[in-house]
């Protein structure tokens, strides 16, 4: 744990043990250089505290880069609520209220939204004690609701840049796109792709979801074990992170990777492995930034729905710029995105 934190490069980590549930609350503040640390709350069981802290630290750093690369006035943070494997869901509401009180104590240093395992309804509960530092409450409670539609719009816009780069043509019509994970983001993305006349394939592990997309929408279902070696133009990871690594990359049969999942690369060297295989990689923290910037813009910057959509769709231009820098500097797209983010971070006094 000591080296994990000392080598991280972030600002602070707050860890609280919640005695009534035996859950751990971890809030990682990676950077407040561009604004208050902002990022979702991930709630799920972890094998141990170390893994939960590691996830929070990595995700928080991703948020710093996400906002910086887009030039959005927010810093990076993330929270993990590591619940026990036998967590009693009847205790959820009170746990979230206690977590809201912790956010309140931080007085605006960290602002949160949903992530894997939390929903707008959970944000309503957190905001009972944590307001005004909570995004994505339900519309009944005055919030902008789920971030998934903006995230999906951003990923779709990013895919236009990917297509332009690969085929000199932004049209996705007729392209074969494999979406891994037809959850909140993936299912909206799939609908947008179908409207764009894309040949969509999907994978999921949830039986109801598989049934819906395979039997109702007649989409091609790819079993989880076949995803990596399925031939396609764009592989779109929209489930969990860490799936691009030294074992999986050699098996990929796609021309590009462009999806919503956070932390897709297991380690930075994986960006090089993708480039060596001539696979174009849209850095995850760029292409999945739409949810955070759309919602924060709507809820705290006075953006209209139209403005939010416009800003989210500008992910296409940001990616275009990243692809140009990567080409001209002969570096990976991940490195190009990092350079743009770091120059923005360096340009602001600490
Ligand atoms: P979700 O939990 O609603 O959906 C995930 C889907 O992936 C579920 O349908 C699940 O059954 C499926 N899945 C799980 N393991 C799988 C596997 N091995 N193979 C295929 N499918 C699998 O999550 P959501 O909100 O759609 O987010 C997806 C990813 O995008 C996450 O990594 C999240 O951190 C990231 N993200 C989400 C944002 C949002 O606004 N919701 C914003 C930015 C990133
Ligand atoms: N889950 C979002 C992300 O990873 C976090 C978020 C959503 C933060 C909405 C603020 C508002 O980008």
């Amino acid at each position: 744990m000591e080296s994990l934190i000392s080598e991280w490069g972030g600002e602070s980590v707050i860890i609280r043990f919640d005695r009534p549930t035996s859950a751990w609350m971890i809030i990682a503040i990676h950077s407040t250089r561009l604004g208050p640390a902002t990022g979702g709350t991930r709630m799920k069981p972890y094998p141990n505290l170390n893994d939960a802290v590691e996830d929070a630290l990595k995700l928080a750093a991703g948020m710093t880069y996400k906002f910086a690369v887009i030039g959005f006035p927010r810093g990076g943070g993330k929270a993990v609520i590591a619940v026990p494997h036998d967590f009693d869901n009847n205790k959820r509401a009170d746990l979230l209220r206690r977590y809201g009180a912790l956010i309140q104590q931080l007085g605006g240093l960290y602002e949160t939204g949903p992530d894997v395992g939390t929903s707008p309804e959970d944000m309503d509960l957190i905001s009972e004690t944590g307001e005004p530092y909570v995004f994505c409450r339900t519309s009944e409670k005055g919030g902008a609701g789920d971030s998934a539609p903006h995230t999906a719009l951003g990923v779709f816009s990013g895919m236009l840049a990917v297509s332009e780069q690969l085929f000199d043509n932004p049209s996705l019509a007729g392209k074969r796109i494999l979406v891994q994970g037809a959850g909140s983001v993936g299912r909206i993305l799939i609908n947008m792709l179908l409207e764009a006349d894309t040949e969509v394939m999907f994978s999921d592990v949830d039986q109801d979801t598989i049934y819906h997309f395979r039997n109702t929408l007649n989409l091609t279902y790819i079993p989880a074990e076949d995803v990596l070696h399925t031939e396609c133009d764009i592989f779109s990871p929209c489930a969990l992170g860490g799936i691009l690594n030294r074992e999986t990359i050699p098996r990929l049969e796609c021309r590009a990777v462009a999806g919503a999942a956070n932390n897709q690369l297991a380690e930075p060297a994986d960006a090089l492995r993708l480039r060596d295989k001539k696979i174009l990689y849209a850095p995850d923290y760029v292409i999945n930034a739409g949810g955070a910037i759309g919602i924060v813009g709507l809820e705290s910057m006075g953006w209209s729905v139209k403005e939010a959509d416009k800003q989210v769709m500008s992910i296409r231009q940001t990616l275009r710029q990243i692809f140009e820098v990567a080409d001209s500097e002969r570096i990976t797209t991940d490195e190009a995105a990092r350079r743009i983010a770091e120059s923005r971070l360096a340009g602001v006094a600490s």
Side-chain angles (χ1 to χ4, degrees):
M1 176 87 72
E2 287 89 338
S3 58
L4 200 61
I5 296 174
S6 64
E7 286 162 21
W8 173 49
E11 294 176 10
S12 319
V13 190
I14 295 106
I15 301 181
R16 178 171 294 184
F17 181 62
D18 184 66
R19 205 162 294 283
T21 59
S22 295
W24 291 93
M25 301 172 187
I26 302 139
I27 298 181
I29 313 285
H30 183 260
S31 169
T32 53
R33 283 178 78 88
L34 299 182
T38 305
T41 298
R42 183 166 287 203
M43 185 165 167
K44 66 186 200 76
Y46 284 82
N48 52 54
L49 177 61
N50 210 72
D51 286 12
V53 172
E54 189 172 11
D55 207 21
L57 300 187
K58 215 171 163 192
L59 289 162
M63 292 306 296
T64 298
Y65 284 100
K66 188 176 297 194
F67 290 125
V69 79
I70 304 280
F72 194 79
R74 286 271 156 174
K78 201 90 179 189
V80 161
I81 304 181
V83 290
H85 287 272
D86 58 354
F87 180 62
D88 173 2
N89 221 29
N90 292 318
K91 296 182 173 174
R92 187 182 184 94
D94 282 340
L95 169 63
L96 291 175
R97 290 187 188 103
R98 287 190 294 276
Y99 168 64
L102 174 59
I103 292 180
Q104 181 64 242
Q105 278 184 327
L106 298 179
L109 187 64
Y110 172 67
E111 303 195 17
T112 202
D115 197 74
V116 175
T118 56
S119 63
E121 288 72 23
D122 291 326
M123 296 304 117
D124 288 351
L125 289 163
I126 297 169
S127 77
E128 284 179 22
T129 47
E131 72 173 350
Y133 310 122
V134 186
F135 293 106
C136 295
R137 285 162 300 144
T138 61
S139 53
E140 296 79 55
K141 298 286 177 185
D146 196 1
S147 55
H150 283 112
T151 305
L153 179 63
V155 174
F156 181 82
S157 304
M159 283 181 175
L160 300 178
V162 166
S163 182
E164 234 164 9
Q165 180 76 5
L166 287 180
F167 308 109
D168 283 329
N169 181 348
S171 170
L172 295 170
K175 301 290 178 307
R176 301 186 79 208
I177 300 186
L178 168 53
V179 178
Q180 180 189 42
S184 310
V185 177
R187 63 181 56 222
I188 301 172
L189 178 64
I190 287 173
N191 285 329
M192 297 177 87
L193 291 172
L194 290 174
E195 273 179 29
D197 291 328
T198 303
E199 198 185 314
V200 183
M201 298 174 280
F202 81 102
S203 184
D204 208 290
V205 289
D206 178 73
Q207 290 312 314
D208 292 344
T209 305
I210 295 172
Y211 183 86
H212 172 74
F213 284 95
R214 187 168 54 181
N215 299 35
T216 318
L217 288 184
N218 252 337
L219 295 189
T220 305
Y221 163 65
I222 308 292
E225 61 275 18
D226 295 336
V227 163
L228 294 167
H229 56 258
T230 296
E231 221 181 298
C232 57
D233 293 305
I234 303 178
F235 169 45
S236 185
C238 293
L240 289 177
I243 51 144
L244 302 173
N245 55 52
R246 64 170 72 231
E247 273 89 43
T248 58
I249 292 171
R251 292 156 62 198
L252 289 177
E253 293 285 346
C254 57
R255 310 259 326 252
V257 176
N262 279 308
N263 293 344
Q264 292 168 28
L265 305 180
E267 54 175 337
D270 294 318
L272 210 52
R273 293 190 179 103
L274 287 168
R275 193 174 75 136
D276 288 348
K277 263 203 93 170
K278 301 208 174 350
I279 294 174
L280 179 66
Y281 172 58
D284 49 13
Y285 53 87
V286 182
I287 196 165
N288 74 13
I293 63 171
I295 294 282
V296 176
L298 277 172
E299 291 192 11
S300 77
M301 293 170 71
W303 287 357
S304 62
V305 171
K306 203 169 154 204
E307 177 68 10
D309 285 355
K310 189 176 134 211
Q311 295 287 344
V312 169
M313 287 191 286
S314 75
I315 286 174
R316 178 177 174 184
Q317 280 79 42
T318 304
L319 274 175
R320 218 187 253 154
Q321 186 195 355
I322 288 165
F323 296 155
E324 273 167 25
V325 172
D327 275 352
S328 63
E329 305 280 325
R330 294 173 193 276
I331 54 177
T332 67
T333 52
D334 187 53
E335 177 63 22
R338 264 168 217 285
R339 283 193 193 172
I340 295 169
E342 272 156 14
S343 68
R344 290 229 167 84
L345 288 162
V348 178
S350 55

